[in-house]
Amino acid sequence: MTPQPDWQEIERLFNATVDLPNHERQALLDSASAPVRAEVESLLKTDDQAFFAVPPVHLTADLLERQPGALNSGQFVGNYRVESLVTRGGMGEVYLARDPSGIPIALKILRRHLIVSEQAIDRFETEARATSALHHPNIVAVRDSGESPAGLFIAMEWVEGPTLRLLMDAGAPDTAQAIDLCGQAARALAAAHAAEILHRDIKPENIILRNDGVLKILDFGLARLSGPVRLEVEATGASGTISGTLSGTLLYMPPEILRGETATTASDVFSLGALFYELWAGRHPFAGETPLDVFEAIECRLVAAPSTLRAGIPPEIDTLILQMLDRDPAWRPAACEACDVLSRSSGKS
Amino acid sequence: MDSQGEVTSLLTAWGRGDQNALNQLMPLVYNELHRMARRAWSGLDQGNTLQPTALIHEVYLKLAGSENASYQNRCHFLAVASTAMRQILVNHARSRHTVKRGSGKIALSLDDVQPAVHQEAAEVVALHEALERLQAIDARKSRVVEMRYFGGLSIEETAQALGVSVITVNRDWRLARSWLIREMKGEGA
């Protein structure tokens, strides 16, 4: 190992140069010994880089508060009595709770002490607003939203059943069930689009098949009437990787969104098309090893017809899925047109 | 002796160099941090708007009481509590970090079902280890980072607690951050 250059010298040079513009730094750097200079140059490179998405003190606060459990059963949030924890997200939790008449509801809570970006609040409020404006049997219903000492909350209809992700992982549904699921999802999307609301994050994790067979679309957290998708790229310290969190999920993102264009109803149709493809063909149309592979696949890969991967897919559905995945948004069918194809198909089978 | 008096005398003893006092102090600090956090954010305390960055101040007021609060003791306390906050987080992150995340599958979802603390576990452990290396080179800078990052203290509070100027803390903070980010990146790459 080479001897370490003198730390005090490094500190002096760093402090002297860090606030100078590049061209003024040079003379000072030139005057230092080679090892000190190399060290300071590498430190100047990382000056001002982002570190943690959530500051450690917030993480500790969260941890301290969670033990033994966040909200206790029996505790009230607004008018709702908490029963049990369902799942935890980065900034909050979902609980099973009961309204005053004993009806079960899903209580989604955004914890105030974990909120470090205004965006999270926006997202939460958007979800409450967008979903409560929609009334459709296939869209999860928002009963109420507000603020309580525990945080911001949304009270939603309680839906019990697997997500489409779980369902697909368990094996391919038969033709009649697949047509039924696609039809319900398309009708939900058509209803949202008729109300001029885009979902913008359609994926199998956001769709639940209730145990009685009724499909429900959830998570309108990214919903918006129109406008470009915000690209939030943040460097997260240790791994040095860019955790490119596009708002939404890369695998279901249409090419126009990847190019930074404005989302339209056709963008939701594309995402739903990718989901249909997966459901029918048993494999994702743009699967890849790395985010770059997925990017390229969405941009350029020729999508094989689902029928080439699995037998027994009705030809009109084969065609519909390919049309929904058209790279040109203008050529994709509207959600209500997809509904028509699916309901005709369902009449036949 | 009441608990406020006890904490005050432990702080004073520790300030005189009594390491044993620190050992007795730590469990009291841990307990109060937990109690205060649960009270503040679990929704039991109506209308509470406590920020995470104010947590250790509140704990100090609770433990030492405003009458007994000497300037010296308060500075010592902020240091102890920052260390406690770091230990709590690092211990948890270590236990999480052993379960490696991500297996090459792509899931760039904004709303991972993991709590933030689990998502950041690898970074927390990496920061902790880099901070130990920094301590060997420049102990004060590692204290500055501990107080700012883990304790949530402001530049001014950190300067007070360490008995140095705001300018010094600013400089320490900036260099330490650059150094740590570089260390952590070098490791992860």
Side-chain angles (χ1 to χ4, degrees), chain A residues 7 11 19 39 42-43 46-47 49 51 57 67 71 75 88 113 123 203 238 248 288 290, chain B residues 34 38 41-42 46 92 104 106 108-110 113 138 141 149 174 177-179 182 184-185:
Chain A
W7 176 249
E11 194 175 349
D19 286 318
E39 179 74 5
S42 93
L43 289 170
T46 43
D47 181 51
Q49 283 187 7
F51 218 158
V57 64
Q67 295 165 347
L71 296 194
Q75 200 175 322
R88 279 181 170 146
H113 66 284
R123 214 182 112 106
K203 57 183 176 185
T290 67
Chain B
H34 277 285
R38 272 208 292 280
W41 298 304
S42 62
Q46 300 284 322
H92 182 83
I106 298 159
L108 289 180
S109 169
L110 195 71
V113 288
D138 192 326
K141 285 186 183 48
Y149 257 137
R174 195 155 181 194
R177 267 178 55 107
S178 282
W179 192 91
R182 196 198 53 182
M184 288 163 71
K185 287 204 162 150

mmCIF file of all heavy atoms in Angstrom, chain A residues 7 11 19 39 42-43 46-47 49 51 57 67 71 75 88 113 123 203 238 248 288 290, chain B residues 34 38 41-42 46 92 104 106 108-110 113 138 141 149 174 177-179 182 184-185:
data_model
loop_
_atom_site.group_PDB
_atom_site.id
_atom_site.type_symbol
_atom_site.label_atom_id
_atom_site.label_comp_id
_atom_site.label_asym_id
_atom_site.label_seq_id
_atom_site.Cartn_x
_atom_site.Cartn_y
_atom_site.Cartn_z
ATOM 1 N N TRP A 7 -3.528 14.271 5.397
ATOM 2 C CA TRP A 7 -4.952 14.616 5.445
ATOM 3 C C TRP A 7 -5.171 16.114 5.605
ATOM 4 O O TRP A 7 -6.080 16.687 4.992
ATOM 5 C CB TRP A 7 -5.607 13.836 6.584
ATOM 6 C CG TRP A 7 -7.061 14.157 6.819
ATOM 7 C CD1 TRP A 7 -7.585 14.795 7.884
ATOM 8 C CD2 TRP A 7 -8.164 13.852 5.953
ATOM 9 N NE1 TRP A 7 -8.951 14.909 7.762
ATOM 10 C CE2 TRP A 7 -9.339 14.343 6.573
ATOM 11 C CE3 TRP A 7 -8.293 13.227 4.717
ATOM 12 C CZ2 TRP A 7 -10.602 14.222 6.014
ATOM 13 C CZ3 TRP A 7 -9.561 13.100 4.153
ATOM 14 C CH2 TRP A 7 -10.694 13.597 4.801
ATOM 15 N N GLU A 11 -7.346 18.552 3.238
ATOM 16 C CA GLU A 11 -8.436 19.366 3.746
ATOM 17 C C GLU A 11 -8.249 20.824 3.321
ATOM 18 O O GLU A 11 -9.196 21.474 2.859
ATOM 19 C CB GLU A 11 -8.461 19.245 5.268
ATOM 20 C CG GLU A 11 -9.725 19.764 5.873
ATOM 21 C CD GLU A 11 -9.784 19.526 7.383
ATOM 22 O OE1 GLU A 11 -8.952 18.780 7.922
ATOM 23 O OE2 GLU A 11 -10.674 20.111 7.996
ATOM 24 N N ASP A 19 -15.224 25.953 -3.655
ATOM 25 C CA ASP A 19 -16.174 26.967 -4.117
ATOM 26 C C ASP A 19 -15.719 27.731 -5.357
ATOM 27 O O ASP A 19 -16.405 28.646 -5.798
ATOM 28 C CB ASP A 19 -16.470 27.955 -2.980
ATOM 29 C CG ASP A 19 -17.373 27.316 -1.930
ATOM 30 O OD1 ASP A 19 -18.331 26.617 -2.322
ATOM 31 O OD2 ASP A 19 -17.102 27.486 -0.728
ATOM 32 N N GLU A 39 -6.231 13.031 -4.742
ATOM 33 C CA GLU A 39 -7.233 12.825 -3.704
ATOM 34 C C GLU A 39 -8.287 13.953 -3.730
ATOM 35 O O GLU A 39 -9.489 13.699 -3.722
ATOM 36 C CB GLU A 39 -6.529 12.765 -2.341
ATOM 37 C CG GLU A 39 -7.422 12.581 -1.147
ATOM 38 C CD GLU A 39 -7.969 11.163 -1.004
ATOM 39 O OE1 GLU A 39 -7.574 10.290 -1.801
ATOM 40 O OE2 GLU A 39 -8.809 10.959 -0.109
ATOM 41 N N SER A 42 -10.619 13.821 -6.731
ATOM 42 C CA SER A 42 -11.681 12.814 -6.650
ATOM 43 C C SER A 42 -12.746 13.236 -5.633
ATOM 44 O O SER A 42 -13.923 12.927 -5.799
ATOM 45 C CB SER A 42 -11.098 11.425 -6.356
ATOM 46 O OG SER A 42 -11.084 11.166 -4.979
ATOM 47 N N LEU A 43 -12.348 13.963 -4.594
ATOM 48 C CA LEU A 43 -13.343 14.443 -3.630
ATOM 49 C C LEU A 43 -14.215 15.550 -4.224
ATOM 50 O O LEU A 43 -15.407 15.631 -3.954
ATOM 51 C CB LEU A 43 -12.654 14.970 -2.357
ATOM 52 C CG LEU A 43 -12.028 13.898 -1.471
ATOM 53 C CD1 LEU A 43 -11.183 14.533 -0.381
ATOM 54 C CD2 LEU A 43 -13.109 13.017 -0.856
ATOM 55 N N THR A 46 -17.273 14.272 -6.081
ATOM 56 C CA THR A 46 -18.472 13.809 -5.367
ATOM 57 C C THR A 46 -19.116 14.916 -4.538
ATOM 58 O O THR A 46 -20.126 14.690 -3.893
ATOM 59 C CB THR A 46 -18.158 12.610 -4.442
ATOM 60 O OG1 THR A 46 -16.942 12.864 -3.754
ATOM 61 C CG2 THR A 46 -18.052 11.331 -5.231
ATOM 62 N N ASP A 47 -18.530 16.124 -4.545
ATOM 63 C CA ASP A 47 -19.140 17.223 -3.799
ATOM 64 C C ASP A 47 -20.556 17.461 -4.316
ATOM 65 O O ASP A 47 -20.792 17.432 -5.513
ATOM 66 C CB ASP A 47 -18.310 18.508 -3.980
ATOM 67 C CG ASP A 47 -18.925 19.662 -3.197
ATOM 68 O OD1 ASP A 47 -19.191 19.486 -2.002
ATOM 69 O OD2 ASP A 47 -19.142 20.726 -3.801
ATOM 70 N N GLN A 49 -23.156 15.651 -4.341
ATOM 71 C CA GLN A 49 -23.980 14.571 -4.865
ATOM 72 C C GLN A 49 -25.030 14.160 -3.850
ATOM 73 O O GLN A 49 -24.826 14.273 -2.652
ATOM 74 C CB GLN A 49 -23.113 13.364 -5.221
ATOM 75 C CG GLN A 49 -22.382 13.576 -6.520
ATOM 76 C CD GLN A 49 -21.665 12.328 -6.964
ATOM 77 O OE1 GLN A 49 -21.812 11.263 -6.376
ATOM 78 N NE2 GLN A 49 -20.880 12.469 -8.006
ATOM 79 N N PHE A 51 -27.382 11.846 -1.545
ATOM 80 C CA PHE A 51 -26.972 10.758 -0.686
ATOM 81 C C PHE A 51 -28.126 9.782 -0.458
ATOM 82 O O PHE A 51 -28.261 8.789 -1.145
ATOM 83 C CB PHE A 51 -26.538 11.359 0.644
ATOM 84 C CG PHE A 51 -25.358 10.684 1.269
ATOM 85 C CD1 PHE A 51 -24.589 11.372 2.189
ATOM 86 C CD2 PHE A 51 -25.021 9.390 0.961
ATOM 87 C CE1 PHE A 51 -23.497 10.766 2.791
ATOM 88 C CE2 PHE A 51 -23.936 8.778 1.549
ATOM 89 C CZ PHE A 51 -23.174 9.476 2.473
ATOM 90 N N VAL A 57 -32.173 10.002 9.790
ATOM 91 C CA VAL A 57 -32.931 10.317 11.008
ATOM 92 C C VAL A 57 -34.421 9.998 10.835
ATOM 93 O O VAL A 57 -35.090 9.571 11.776
ATOM 94 C CB VAL A 57 -32.705 11.781 11.459
ATOM 95 C CG1 VAL A 57 -33.214 12.762 10.437
ATOM 96 C CG2 VAL A 57 -33.347 12.047 12.810
ATOM 97 N N GLN A 67 -41.855 -0.259 16.443
ATOM 98 C CA GLN A 67 -41.719 -1.373 17.360
ATOM 99 C C GLN A 67 -42.605 -1.159 18.578
ATOM 100 O O GLN A 67 -42.469 -0.140 19.229
ATOM 101 C CB GLN A 67 -40.258 -1.519 17.785
ATOM 102 C CG GLN A 67 -39.405 -1.902 16.598
ATOM 103 C CD GLN A 67 -37.928 -1.723 16.842
ATOM 104 O OE1 GLN A 67 -37.522 -1.102 17.805
ATOM 105 N NE2 GLN A 67 -37.115 -2.244 15.956
ATOM 106 N N LEU A 71 -49.750 1.124 13.996
ATOM 107 C CA LEU A 71 -51.026 1.433 14.644
ATOM 108 C C LEU A 71 -51.500 0.190 15.385
ATOM 109 O O LEU A 71 -51.388 -0.919 14.892
ATOM 110 C CB LEU A 71 -52.073 1.848 13.608
ATOM 111 C CG LEU A 71 -51.813 3.122 12.820
ATOM 112 C CD1 LEU A 71 -53.084 3.558 12.114
ATOM 113 C CD2 LEU A 71 -51.296 4.232 13.698
ATOM 114 N N GLN A 75 -57.310 1.055 17.677
ATOM 115 C CA GLN A 75 -57.088 2.491 17.582
ATOM 116 C C GLN A 75 -57.980 3.091 16.479
ATOM 117 O O GLN A 75 -58.285 2.415 15.499
ATOM 118 C CB GLN A 75 -55.624 2.685 17.220
ATOM 119 C CG GLN A 75 -55.094 4.042 17.540
ATOM 120 C CD GLN A 75 -53.602 4.082 17.255
ATOM 121 O OE1 GLN A 75 -52.892 3.098 17.500
ATOM 122 N NE2 GLN A 75 -53.150 5.180 16.724
ATOM 123 N N ARG A 88 -47.049 -2.853 4.244
ATOM 124 C CA ARG A 88 -46.330 -1.610 4.492
ATOM 125 C C ARG A 88 -45.698 -1.122 3.216
ATOM 126 O O ARG A 88 -45.137 -1.914 2.468
ATOM 127 C CB ARG A 88 -45.207 -1.862 5.484
ATOM 128 C CG ARG A 88 -45.680 -1.876 6.882
ATOM 129 C CD ARG A 88 -44.542 -2.098 7.835
ATOM 130 N NE ARG A 88 -45.067 -1.865 9.174
ATOM 131 C CZ ARG A 88 -44.656 -2.520 10.237
ATOM 132 N NH1 ARG A 88 -43.706 -3.402 10.140
ATOM 133 N NH2 ARG A 88 -45.193 -2.255 11.407
ATOM 134 N N HIS A 113 -44.298 11.636 9.443
ATOM 135 C CA HIS A 113 -42.869 11.762 9.708
ATOM 136 C C HIS A 113 -42.004 11.105 8.644
ATOM 137 O O HIS A 113 -40.800 11.239 8.659
ATOM 138 C CB HIS A 113 -42.533 11.214 11.093
ATOM 139 C CG HIS A 113 -42.738 9.736 11.229
ATOM 140 N ND1 HIS A 113 -43.975 9.181 11.350
ATOM 141 C CD2 HIS A 113 -41.857 8.718 11.240
ATOM 142 C CE1 HIS A 113 -43.843 7.856 11.446
ATOM 143 N NE2 HIS A 113 -42.573 7.560 11.379
ATOM 144 N N ARG A 123 -49.163 12.719 -4.742
ATOM 145 C CA ARG A 123 -49.546 11.420 -5.246
ATOM 146 C C ARG A 123 -50.719 10.859 -4.451
ATOM 147 O O ARG A 123 -51.664 10.311 -5.001
ATOM 148 C CB ARG A 123 -48.340 10.482 -5.103
ATOM 149 C CG ARG A 123 -48.211 9.459 -6.191
ATOM 150 C CD ARG A 123 -47.022 8.577 -5.912
ATOM 151 N NE ARG A 123 -47.493 7.246 -5.596
ATOM 152 C CZ ARG A 123 -47.398 6.221 -6.432
ATOM 153 N NH1 ARG A 123 -46.829 6.365 -7.607
ATOM 154 N NH2 ARG A 123 -47.860 5.040 -6.104
ATOM 155 N N LYS A 203 -50.607 -2.181 -14.122
ATOM 156 C CA LYS A 203 -49.736 -3.358 -14.055
ATOM 157 C C LYS A 203 -50.441 -4.407 -13.214
ATOM 158 O O LYS A 203 -51.381 -4.079 -12.477
ATOM 159 C CB LYS A 203 -48.384 -2.974 -13.447
ATOM 160 C CG LYS A 203 -48.482 -2.341 -12.068
ATOM 161 C CD LYS A 203 -47.121 -1.921 -11.549
ATOM 162 C CE LYS A 203 -47.249 -1.209 -10.215
ATOM 163 N NZ LYS A 203 -45.991 -0.681 -9.720
ATOM 164 N N ALA A 238 -24.750 4.301 -2.061
ATOM 165 C CA ALA A 238 -23.776 3.219 -1.952
ATOM 166 C C ALA A 238 -23.539 2.417 -3.215
ATOM 167 O O ALA A 238 -22.408 2.214 -3.617
ATOM 168 C CB ALA A 238 -24.206 2.276 -0.849
ATOM 169 N N GLY A 248 -43.926 4.978 -12.175
ATOM 170 C CA GLY A 248 -44.598 3.864 -12.818
ATOM 171 C C GLY A 248 -43.645 2.711 -12.972
ATOM 172 O O GLY A 248 -42.591 2.680 -12.376
ATOM 173 N N GLY A 288 -36.671 -8.564 -20.091
ATOM 174 C CA GLY A 288 -35.252 -8.379 -20.349
ATOM 175 C C GLY A 288 -34.463 -8.502 -19.070
ATOM 176 O O GLY A 288 -35.026 -8.436 -17.981
ATOM 177 N N THR A 290 -31.898 -6.475 -18.087
ATOM 178 C CA THR A 290 -31.544 -5.194 -17.483
ATOM 179 C C THR A 290 -32.564 -4.153 -17.917
ATOM 180 O O THR A 290 -33.283 -4.359 -18.901
ATOM 181 C CB THR A 290 -30.161 -4.715 -17.972
ATOM 182 O OG1 THR A 290 -30.274 -4.420 -19.373
ATOM 183 C CG2 THR A 290 -29.101 -5.770 -17.751
ATOM 184 N N HIS B 34 -37.618 5.466 22.110
ATOM 185 C CA HIS B 34 -38.725 4.607 21.675
ATOM 186 C C HIS B 34 -40.074 5.149 22.130
ATOM 187 O O HIS B 34 -41.012 5.251 21.354
ATOM 188 C CB HIS B 34 -38.550 3.187 22.244
ATOM 189 C CG HIS B 34 -37.638 2.346 21.422
ATOM 190 N ND1 HIS B 34 -38.009 1.802 20.220
ATOM 191 C CD2 HIS B 34 -36.354 1.970 21.615
ATOM 192 C CE1 HIS B 34 -37.004 1.111 19.721
ATOM 193 N NE2 HIS B 34 -35.971 1.205 20.536
ATOM 194 N N ARG B 38 -43.017 6.566 19.590
ATOM 195 C CA ARG B 38 -44.318 5.898 19.494
ATOM 196 C C ARG B 38 -45.440 6.863 19.821
ATOM 197 O O ARG B 38 -46.469 6.898 19.161
ATOM 198 C CB ARG B 38 -44.380 4.717 20.453
ATOM 199 C CG ARG B 38 -43.849 3.450 19.835
ATOM 200 C CD ARG B 38 -44.491 2.233 20.457
ATOM 201 N NE ARG B 38 -44.083 2.060 21.832
ATOM 202 C CZ ARG B 38 -42.926 1.517 22.192
ATOM 203 N NH1 ARG B 38 -42.079 1.133 21.265
ATOM 204 N NH2 ARG B 38 -42.627 1.364 23.443
ATOM 205 N N TRP B 41 -45.815 9.510 16.769
ATOM 206 C CA TRP B 41 -46.220 9.174 15.405
ATOM 207 C C TRP B 41 -47.175 8.014 15.263
ATOM 208 O O TRP B 41 -47.518 7.621 14.165
ATOM 209 C CB TRP B 41 -44.966 8.940 14.543
ATOM 210 C CG TRP B 41 -44.131 10.166 14.463
ATOM 211 C CD1 TRP B 41 -44.542 11.397 14.039
ATOM 212 C CD2 TRP B 41 -42.764 10.304 14.830
ATOM 213 N NE1 TRP B 41 -43.505 12.287 14.122
ATOM 214 C CE2 TRP B 41 -42.403 11.645 14.592
ATOM 215 C CE3 TRP B 41 -41.809 9.419 15.322
ATOM 216 C CZ2 TRP B 41 -41.123 12.116 14.845
ATOM 217 C CZ3 TRP B 41 -40.541 9.891 15.563
ATOM 218 C CH2 TRP B 41 -40.203 11.220 15.335
ATOM 219 N N SER B 42 -47.581 7.432 16.345
ATOM 220 C CA SER B 42 -48.500 6.316 16.174
ATOM 221 C C SER B 42 -49.935 6.800 16.234
ATOM 222 O O SER B 42 -50.854 6.014 16.204
ATOM 223 C CB SER B 42 -48.247 5.258 17.248
ATOM 224 O OG SER B 42 -48.486 5.826 18.514
ATOM 225 N N GLN B 46 -52.865 13.208 20.110
ATOM 226 C CA GLN B 46 -53.639 14.064 19.211
ATOM 227 C C GLN B 46 -52.903 15.371 18.920
ATOM 228 O O GLN B 46 -52.417 16.027 19.826
ATOM 229 C CB GLN B 46 -54.997 14.386 19.840
ATOM 230 C CG GLN B 46 -55.851 13.171 20.130
ATOM 231 C CD GLN B 46 -56.474 12.599 18.878
ATOM 232 O OE1 GLN B 46 -56.891 13.345 17.989
ATOM 233 N NE2 GLN B 46 -56.526 11.289 18.774
ATOM 234 N N HIS B 92 -30.499 -2.536 13.064
ATOM 235 C CA HIS B 92 -31.636 -3.025 12.293
ATOM 236 C C HIS B 92 -31.246 -3.256 10.831
ATOM 237 O O HIS B 92 -31.572 -4.286 10.246
ATOM 238 C CB HIS B 92 -32.788 -2.034 12.370
ATOM 239 C CG HIS B 92 -34.003 -2.510 11.645
ATOM 240 N ND1 HIS B 92 -34.914 -3.368 12.209
ATOM 241 C CD2 HIS B 92 -34.427 -2.300 10.380
ATOM 242 C CE1 HIS B 92 -35.847 -3.645 11.334
ATOM 243 N NE2 HIS B 92 -35.584 -3.008 10.211
ATOM 244 N N GLY B 104 -31.833 -9.574 -9.907
ATOM 245 C CA GLY B 104 -31.661 -9.376 -11.340
ATOM 246 C C GLY B 104 -32.965 -9.170 -12.077
ATOM 247 O O GLY B 104 -32.988 -8.820 -13.232
ATOM 248 N N ILE B 106 -36.319 -7.228 -13.024
ATOM 249 C CA ILE B 106 -36.586 -5.801 -13.093
ATOM 250 C C ILE B 106 -37.931 -5.467 -12.495
ATOM 251 O O ILE B 106 -38.949 -5.977 -12.898
ATOM 252 C CB ILE B 106 -36.547 -5.329 -14.543
ATOM 253 C CG1 ILE B 106 -35.156 -5.566 -15.097
ATOM 254 C CG2 ILE B 106 -36.900 -3.862 -14.642
ATOM 255 C CD1 ILE B 106 -35.155 -5.619 -16.587
ATOM 256 N N LEU B 108 -38.973 -1.834 -11.438
ATOM 257 C CA LEU B 108 -38.741 -0.436 -11.107
ATOM 258 C C LEU B 108 -40.046 0.218 -10.705
ATOM 259 O O LEU B 108 -40.580 1.048 -11.393
ATOM 260 C CB LEU B 108 -38.156 0.302 -12.314
ATOM 261 C CG LEU B 108 -36.718 -0.051 -12.655
ATOM 262 C CD1 LEU B 108 -36.274 0.750 -13.863
ATOM 263 C CD2 LEU B 108 -35.802 0.234 -11.491
ATOM 264 N N SER B 109 -40.551 -0.201 -9.560
ATOM 265 C CA SER B 109 -41.810 0.353 -9.119
ATOM 266 C C SER B 109 -41.555 1.439 -8.098
ATOM 267 O O SER B 109 -40.639 1.363 -7.302
ATOM 268 C CB SER B 109 -42.670 -0.747 -8.500
ATOM 269 O OG SER B 109 -43.766 -0.155 -7.866
ATOM 270 N N LEU B 110 -42.376 2.459 -8.159
ATOM 271 C CA LEU B 110 -42.216 3.579 -7.240
ATOM 272 C C LEU B 110 -42.616 3.167 -5.840
ATOM 273 O O LEU B 110 -42.040 3.578 -4.862
ATOM 274 C CB LEU B 110 -43.101 4.730 -7.708
ATOM 275 C CG LEU B 110 -42.806 6.070 -7.087
ATOM 276 C CD1 LEU B 110 -41.504 6.617 -7.612
ATOM 277 C CD2 LEU B 110 -43.938 7.025 -7.400
ATOM 278 N N VAL B 113 -43.215 -2.489 -1.790
ATOM 279 C CA VAL B 113 -43.951 -2.785 -0.559
ATOM 280 C C VAL B 113 -43.045 -2.806 0.663
ATOM 281 O O VAL B 113 -43.494 -2.963 1.776
ATOM 282 C CB VAL B 113 -44.725 -4.120 -0.623
ATOM 283 C CG1 VAL B 113 -45.921 -3.993 -1.531
ATOM 284 C CG2 VAL B 113 -43.824 -5.255 -1.045
ATOM 285 N N ASP B 138 -10.167 11.263 10.879
ATOM 286 C CA ASP B 138 -10.572 12.576 11.366
ATOM 287 C C ASP B 138 -11.822 12.404 12.235
ATOM 288 O O ASP B 138 -12.953 12.408 11.738
ATOM 289 C CB ASP B 138 -10.868 13.480 10.155
ATOM 290 C CG ASP B 138 -11.012 14.939 10.557
ATOM 291 O OD1 ASP B 138 -11.511 15.208 11.667
ATOM 292 O OD2 ASP B 138 -10.634 15.804 9.754
ATOM 293 N N LYS B 141 -14.805 15.004 12.159
ATOM 294 C CA LYS B 141 -15.694 14.955 10.995
ATOM 295 C C LYS B 141 -16.684 13.805 11.106
ATOM 296 O O LYS B 141 -17.842 13.918 10.704
ATOM 297 C CB LYS B 141 -14.883 14.857 9.708
ATOM 298 C CG LYS B 141 -14.236 16.180 9.347
ATOM 299 C CD LYS B 141 -13.557 16.132 7.995
ATOM 300 C CE LYS B 141 -12.857 17.446 7.697
ATOM 301 N NZ LYS B 141 -12.011 17.940 8.815
ATOM 302 N N TYR B 149 -26.501 13.413 10.381
ATOM 303 C CA TYR B 149 -27.259 12.389 9.661
ATOM 304 C C TYR B 149 -28.116 11.529 10.553
ATOM 305 O O TYR B 149 -29.284 11.298 10.291
ATOM 306 C CB TYR B 149 -26.312 11.480 8.877
ATOM 307 C CG TYR B 149 -26.295 11.796 7.410
ATOM 308 C CD1 TYR B 149 -25.108 11.829 6.703
ATOM 309 C CD2 TYR B 149 -27.476 12.059 6.722
ATOM 310 C CE1 TYR B 149 -25.094 12.124 5.357
ATOM 311 C CE2 TYR B 149 -27.470 12.359 5.384
ATOM 312 C CZ TYR B 149 -26.279 12.393 4.703
ATOM 313 O OH TYR B 149 -26.269 12.688 3.389
ATOM 314 N N ARG B 174 -19.085 19.275 4.588
ATOM 315 C CA ARG B 174 -18.967 19.203 3.142
ATOM 316 C C ARG B 174 -17.877 18.215 2.717
ATOM 317 O O ARG B 174 -18.091 17.368 1.851
ATOM 318 C CB ARG B 174 -18.633 20.595 2.609
ATOM 319 C CG ARG B 174 -18.832 20.706 1.131
ATOM 320 C CD ARG B 174 -19.079 22.128 0.801
ATOM 321 N NE ARG B 174 -19.294 22.303 -0.617
ATOM 322 C CZ ARG B 174 -19.267 23.490 -1.201
ATOM 323 N NH1 ARG B 174 -19.021 24.568 -0.481
ATOM 324 N NH2 ARG B 174 -19.495 23.598 -2.487
ATOM 325 N N ARG B 177 -18.904 14.587 3.651
ATOM 326 C CA ARG B 177 -19.899 14.039 2.720
ATOM 327 C C ARG B 177 -19.247 13.557 1.439
ATOM 328 O O ARG B 177 -19.525 12.472 0.946
ATOM 329 C CB ARG B 177 -20.940 15.103 2.388
ATOM 330 C CG ARG B 177 -22.154 15.092 3.261
ATOM 331 C CD ARG B 177 -23.075 16.213 2.849
ATOM 332 N NE ARG B 177 -23.398 16.120 1.438
ATOM 333 C CZ ARG B 177 -24.586 15.732 0.977
ATOM 334 N NH1 ARG B 177 -25.537 15.438 1.797
ATOM 335 N NH2 ARG B 177 -24.807 15.647 -0.316
ATOM 336 N N SER B 178 -18.405 14.419 0.852
ATOM 337 C CA SER B 178 -17.715 14.045 -0.377
ATOM 338 C C SER B 178 -16.906 12.771 -0.168
ATOM 339 O O SER B 178 -16.927 11.853 -0.984
ATOM 340 C CB SER B 178 -16.744 15.150 -0.822
ATOM 341 O OG SER B 178 -17.448 16.179 -1.431
ATOM 342 N N TRP B 179 -16.197 12.763 0.939
ATOM 343 C CA TRP B 179 -15.343 11.619 1.247
ATOM 344 C C TRP B 179 -16.165 10.333 1.387
ATOM 345 O O TRP B 179 -15.842 9.299 0.833
ATOM 346 C CB TRP B 179 -14.568 11.921 2.538
ATOM 347 C CG TRP B 179 -13.452 10.960 2.815
ATOM 348 C CD1 TRP B 179 -12.151 11.065 2.422
ATOM 349 C CD2 TRP B 179 -13.537 9.740 3.572
ATOM 350 N NE1 TRP B 179 -11.426 9.989 2.878
ATOM 351 C CE2 TRP B 179 -12.258 9.158 3.591
ATOM 352 C CE3 TRP B 179 -14.584 9.088 4.232
ATOM 353 C CZ2 TRP B 179 -11.978 7.959 4.235
ATOM 354 C CZ3 TRP B 179 -14.310 7.878 4.884
ATOM 355 C CH2 TRP B 179 -13.015 7.333 4.876
ATOM 356 N N ARG B 182 -17.738 9.093 -1.885
ATOM 357 C CA ARG B 182 -16.717 8.444 -2.707
ATOM 358 C C ARG B 182 -16.379 7.052 -2.169
ATOM 359 O O ARG B 182 -16.289 6.083 -2.909
ATOM 360 C CB ARG B 182 -15.466 9.313 -2.754
ATOM 361 C CG ARG B 182 -14.536 8.920 -3.867
ATOM 362 C CD ARG B 182 -13.169 9.475 -3.646
ATOM 363 N NE ARG B 182 -12.679 9.109 -2.318
ATOM 364 C CZ ARG B 182 -11.499 9.505 -1.852
ATOM 365 N NH1 ARG B 182 -10.734 10.305 -2.570
ATOM 366 N NH2 ARG B 182 -11.103 9.129 -0.667
ATOM 367 N N MET B 184 -18.270 5.080 -0.379
ATOM 368 C CA MET B 184 -19.390 4.162 -0.538
ATOM 369 C C MET B 184 -19.533 3.719 -1.982
ATOM 370 O O MET B 184 -19.873 2.592 -2.262
ATOM 371 C CB MET B 184 -20.680 4.827 -0.055
ATOM 372 C CG MET B 184 -20.711 4.967 1.469
ATOM 373 S SD MET B 184 -21.936 6.137 2.044
ATOM 374 C CE MET B 184 -23.452 5.270 1.697
ATOM 375 N N LYS B 185 -19.254 4.623 -2.906
ATOM 376 C CA LYS B 185 -19.349 4.266 -4.323
ATOM 377 C C LYS B 185 -18.253 3.304 -4.697
ATOM 378 O O LYS B 185 -18.474 2.340 -5.408
ATOM 379 C CB LYS B 185 -19.251 5.514 -5.188
ATOM 380 C CG LYS B 185 -20.503 6.317 -5.110
ATOM 381 C CD LYS B 185 -20.669 7.168 -6.331
ATOM 382 C CE LYS B 185 -22.112 7.593 -6.398
ATOM 383 N NZ LYS B 185 -22.306 8.866 -7.027
#
